[in-house]
Amino acid sequence: MSLVAIGACYVDTILSTSHYPGEDEKLRASNIVHRRGGNCPNSLEVLQQLTFGSKTNLALNLISVLPARSSVASQQIVSALEPRVHLDHCIFREAYQEPASCYIIKSQSTGSRTIVNYNELPDMTTEEFIRVTDKLGPQATWFHFEGRTPEVLLGCIRYLRNSFRQARISVEIEKPGREGLQELAEAADVVFYSKTWAQSMGYTSAEDCLRKQSLKTRNSSLLCCTWGQDGAAAFETRTTQFVHAEVDTAPDFQVIDPIGAGDTFNAGMLYALNCKDQEWDLSTKVGFANRIAGMKVAQEGFSGLN
Ligand code: FRU
């Protein structure tokens, strides 16, 4: 069994500040962290811990566009994820040296994380995806997409439905205002919605989002939505079962690092669906994913989450 995650890989520069700066303000950060980021790579970093030593042998692959193979950034990214995550199918753009970068201001007073990103790497095309995926072979059983460029990804999903008929497909619908995400959600088996996207569509809670989205995504079997302090929820379309998991935090809980909380939830669900599908019911799966997302928020980075 093999899971393939397809999405951008960033290099994050994270500044911790006492508050979010006003325009033209001069502010001294209390800390700076540089680390590999990106939704799919973050989820894979968590998944590699969850699957370590698991009975189900789930191989992990990343398909990402990276700068030149010899660039410092690509070498750092590869060495941070290998050998547990396979990067043989990444697309290296030899004419570029700069990785996609995110500059993140993490405000201690509100727990917010404001992200500015820069990316000069041309996005993956459907043809490139087909070329690298053809080499994967039939062991690829799950494809998870970050919902970036819907028109490209719809082509990828069409190809997978023909050439990898047994494989299941999930997509993450995260960024508000991107056209085509609704169609993308409709094409997947499992959909992960973010609170930001749901709010941009006028939904007032995870339940509101899932119940109304389920009317538009009749082919998808499972819809999930995270809602920050209000936990996470899932809706199974076949049975109409709805489950909600509360955030269960210790009294001394503090938001240390919310960057990638949603990616961690997705990793938890992907683990549950791939490795514990028969053993755990839906409520156990969502409770598990929600718990590790909570653990992640209370600590810096993604290590030690298993
Ligand atoms: C967190 C994250 C960061 C990255 C940014 C990209 O979810 O993946 O690691 O810089 O989002 O949007």
Side-chain angles (χ1 to χ4, degrees):
M1 272 168 71
S2 170
L3 178 142
V4 185
I6 305 102
C9 188
Y10 284 87
V11 171
D12 291 348
T13 300
I14 305 166
L15 292 168
S16 301
T17 56
S18 55
H19 61 277
Y20 184 73
E23 193 168 346
D24 231 12
E25 183 182 340
K26 201 167 174 185
L27 183 65
R28 191 182 188 123
S30 57
N31 192 30
I32 184 165
V33 172
H34 301 280
R35 71 177 187 224
R36 194 259 329 111
N39 300 8
C40 284
N42 290 344
S43 296
L44 286 171
E45 185 169 343
V46 179
L47 264 170
Q48 72 173 12
Q49 298 171 53
L50 300 178
T51 53
F52 188 74
S54 145
K55 273 188 281 156
T56 320
N57 198 3
L58 183 68
L60 303 173
N61 296 276
L62 175 67
I63 298 183
S64 218
V65 172
L66 296 176
R69 214 177 264 276
S70 60
S71 66
V72 176
S74 282
Q75 289 187 2
Q76 280 172 349
I77 289 165
V78 170
S79 62
L81 287 166
E82 277 186 337
R84 287 275 298 127
V85 178
H86 304 290
L87 287 99
D88 328 337
H89 306 290
C90 281
I91 298 156
F92 291 90
R93 302 249 181 262
E94 295 303 332
Y96 295 81
Q97 294 293 317
E98 270 299 304
S101 306
C102 272
Y103 298 87
I104 304 174
I105 296 180
K106 204 168 76 176
S107 153
Q108 275 145 6
S109 64
T110 61
S112 72
R113 87 289 180 267
T114 305
I115 304 180
V116 178
N117 76 42
Y118 174 74
N119 188 6
E120 61 183 19
L121 294 170
D123 254 322
M124 178 189 80
T125 63
T126 306
E127 293 66 37
E128 284 176 320
F129 175 78
I130 294 174
R131 206 172 318 128
V132 293
T133 309
D134 250 353
K135 298 190 200 124
L136 276 166
Q139 81 278 11
T141 43
W142 194 292
F143 289 86
H144 172 69
F145 291 92
E146 176 192 359
R148 289 177 64 78
T149 38
E151 63 288 2
V152 170
L153 300 191
L154 282 170
C156 300
I157 293 178
R158 238 174 276 127
Y159 158 77
L160 292 176
R161 295 290 186 209
N162 271 321
S163 304
F164 288 78
R165 285 173 190 262
Q166 302 305 320
R168 302 201 72 204
I169 297 174
S170 54
V171 298
E172 183 197 31
I173 304 296
E174 189 205 25
K175 308 253 172 358
R178 239 174 229 181
E179 241 172 80
L181 289 181
Q182 197 68 260
E183 289 79 359
L184 197 56
E186 281 166 46
D189 301 309
V190 175
V191 188
F192 296 103
Y193 297 103
S194 76
K195 178 181 176 183
T196 333
W197 182 84
Q199 284 178 322
S200 77
M201 299 298 287
Y203 298 132
T204 53
S205 64
E207 180 167 5
D208 186 34
C209 169
L210 296 181
R211 289 200 186 277
K212 292 185 179 146
Q213 278 301 119
S214 70
L215 305 174
K216 302 182 179 174
T217 49
R218 292 185 193 277
N219 295 328
S220 315
S221 51
L222 183 68
L223 310 179
C224 307
C225 182
T226 50
W227 208 270
Q229 292 299 333
D230 282 333
F235 185 90
E236 207 170 55
T237 51
R238 189 179 49 84
T239 59
T240 70
Q241 185 191 2
F242 171 80
V243 303
H244 180 253
E246 301 282 343
V247 174
D248 179 19
T249 48
D252 57 350
F253 173 81
Q254 256 191 309
V255 174
I256 302 292
D257 177 17
I259 301 153
D263 310 336
T264 307
F265 175 85
N266 297 352
M269 283 305 293
L270 289 171
Y271 170 72
L273 292 166
N274 278 279
C275 303
K276 299 283 177 190
D277 205 31
Q278 303 305 318
E279 281 165 67
W280 292 356
D281 62 14
L282 185 58
S283 165
T284 310
K285 287 172 183 151
V286 179
F288 171 79
N290 187 48
R291 201 161 46 250
I292 57 163
M295 279 165 65
K296 192 270 151 286
V297 172
Q299 67 163 50
E300 190 70 59
F302 299 92
S303 53
L305 289 173
N306 52 343

